[in-house]
Amino acid sequence: MTDQPYIMQSQRIATMSASNANPYGLIEGGGIAVADGKIKWVGKMSEIPTCCEDFSTRDFGTNVITPALIDCHTHLVYGGNRAREFEMRLQGASYEEVARAGGGIKSTVAATRKTNLQDLLKE
């Protein structure tokens, strides 16, 4: 079963198409038409093509939408937290300094290995 066709409406849509002097495109007041799980159109809401005029609209407000961007660096499950490291980074510490202080990816791997499966799977 597939979703009914719809348009994601947002105040801003970032594309990877260069526009003017910008290395990427930014569409103000844009929309993305989706049908059968595929992007059918991206553009200004004022320029919706006739093929998409009957699509329902889902309002994404002021969120920036990046069509077809896949964030492949995501960790859904991990142990511990890195709040201290983020604070250090905000204060200007380098990644090397964070690592020397016991933080970084090695600390996350160690905390994840120490955490039991039930705790890792808690919401």
Side-chain angles (χ1 to χ4, degrees):
M1 182 174 162
T2 60
D3 270 341
Q4 295 296 318
Y6 61 94
I7 295 177
M8 296 185 291
Q9 178 180 347
S10 179
Q11 288 183 10
R12 291 177 191 88
I13 298 174
T15 70
M16 296 314 296
S17 298
S19 64
N20 301 325
N22 296 322
Y24 66 91
L26 186 64
I27 300 170
E28 299 284 348
I32 302 171
V34 178
D36 299 321
K38 296 180 181 174
I39 295 173
K40 300 295 183 182
W41 168 84
V42 177
K44 290 186 173 284
M45 286 297 290
S46 61
E47 300 171 358
I48 297 173
T50 54
C51 66
C52 304
E53 287 177 347
D54 294 333
F55 289 15
S56 64
T57 300
R58 299 180 186 177
D59 190 352
F60 283 71
T62 60
N63 293 310
V64 176
I65 299 176
T66 54
L69 175 70
I70 299 170
D71 178 3
C72 60
H73 191 120
T74 303
H75 301 273
L76 298 177
V77 179
Y78 59 90
N81 71 65
R82 297 177 79 172
R84 181 172 161 261
E85 296 173 34
F86 295 139
E87 184 64 31
M88 289 176 70
R89 291 288 293 145
L90 288 172
Q91 293 175 4
S94 68
Y95 286 110
E96 183 179 353
E97 291 168 325
V98 169
R100 283 190 198 148
I105 190 63
K106 287 184 179 182
S107 68
T108 300
V109 170
T112 302
R113 288 179 176 161
K114 289 179 185 175
T115 306
N116 68 51
L117 182 60
Q118 288 176 322
D119 286 338
L120 286 173
L121 298 177
K122 283 182 183 174
E123 291 184 308

